[in-house]
Amino acid sequence: MQAAPNHFDVIILGAGASGLMCALTAAQRGRRVLVIEKANKVGKKILMSGGGRCNFTNHFVEADNFISGNPHFCKAALTRYTQWDFISLVERYGIPYEERKHSQLFCLDSAKDILNMLLDECAQAGAEIRTHCSIDKISTLPEQPHSDKHQDDNQRQRYQVTLRQGQTPLSLECHSLIVATGALSIPSLGGSGLGYDIADHFGIALTERQAGLVPFMFSDAMKPLCERLAGLALEVDVSCNRRQFTENLLFTHRGISGPAILQISNYWNPGDEITIDLLPNLDGHKWLRTAKHQQSKSLLRTVLAQKLSKGLVNELQTLWWQNSAEQPLATYSDKQLSVIADKLHCWRLKPSATEGYRTAEVTRGGVDTAAISSKTMEVKSQPGLYFIGEVLDVTGHLGGFNFQWAWSSGYSAGLVC
């Protein structure tokens, strides 16, 4: 019997990475799938990621690359659909890609290649996608008596979605409803709290949310210092709350950014200090004592400028050794040099805030994973309702891990919805 035009096996809210992966996986099983997207285009975050080249996964993916209230939750999905599975799909489409630092994989040409691949897979499998759709209401449908319980379980319409496509009101029904709405990060690309509202409507707990993979700002004397150094990048070790990353730091007009800072922002909470080692992989104490004997007539800033930029050294001089700035190294005691080396290896800064969701690449926290099956992404207490991707309390490190979570969680739901 042909399904009613407004009846679907699966309705997916959100045509981002996880939603499209779920759609193509479910449609390939023969499910009648509709993807609803509020924006005018699909996959906006895919297109802007990686500077338009899409860091689509990483060669090395482990549970330790993710933050969650339950650190084990992501394991089942990441095992069910691995980075190698997605790489295989990319290679099947002949999409050229490259490996960069820290095993990150990027498109050589354009992120459009990844989006077009997903859309082509959806089209081949028969998944329908509609844009310009705004959700008005989601409700459960009452269970109807049915003589064939097995058929009832697999075909009964369980959810009603009331929406507007442009100015046209629609009422759609489905057996499985997938929430792939993303989160609060980068609202200009469609980020919103809709998924959290849906979770709240069904009584599903939420964990505290916060901007993640986001630059820091300062309100103290660091702010003008950062403004003066804006555009300068250097490799550092940065640590906070027992986590450490070695990557580039970038000074900006508002504070500090760059991969190292974005990574550590996932572990920072308001009021925390971060610690920056400006001389990673170097024993600064030994180096300065050696320089004292070999370059005894040189100024400290001249020696430091061999490893750090002149502009940064001048700022550090004002902070840490202004009174002895014009003295040759020979006049410094070993203790004085040791104190300066300590500061270079352990520059303690207290950000006043992050730049917030406007520039955050992800949202930390979200739908509490305690309510979700780690194997299927289905809500344990609400049959047929699934949450996938960033809306969940699973946040990846920088480096392709958030996309891999989208592929893995979308696939896991698509296999069963």
Side-chain angles (χ1 to χ4, degrees), residues 216-268:
F216 287 129
M217 300 191 297
F218 296 92
S219 57
D220 56 13
M222 270 297 293
K223 186 174 187 294
L225 183 153
C226 291
E227 289 174 350
R228 291 191 293 271
L229 294 176
L232 173 67
L234 71 158
E235 185 172 86
V236 300
D237 282 346
V238 60
S239 55
C240 180
N241 289 324
R242 299 181 299 283
R243 293 298 300 222
Q244 178 180 310
F245 295 93
T246 302
E247 264 282 11
N248 272 7
L249 174 153
L250 172 69
F251 289 95
T252 74
H253 288 286
R254 292 179 292 274
I256 51 178
S257 185
I261 299 307
L262 299 186
Q263 294 280 37
I264 208 65
S265 72
N266 273 350
Y267 295 91
W268 178 86

Side-chain angles (χ1 to χ4, degrees), residues 22 30 61 70 76 87 136 161 205 216 231 305 310 315 361 380 387:
C22 183
V61 178
N70 177 359
I87 291 167
D136 291 329
V161 181
F216 287 129
K310 185 176 179 181
E315 295 291 347
E361 294 195 18
K380 295 173 183 176
F387 287 84

Side-chain angles (χ1 to χ4, degrees), residues 6 17 57 68 71 86 89 126 129 190 195 218 234 244 292 308 405 410 413:
N6 66 336
T57 191
S68 174
F86 195 79
L89 179 60
I129 301 172
F218 296 92
L234 71 158
Q244 178 180 310
K292 175 182 174 179
L308 302 170
W405 173 244

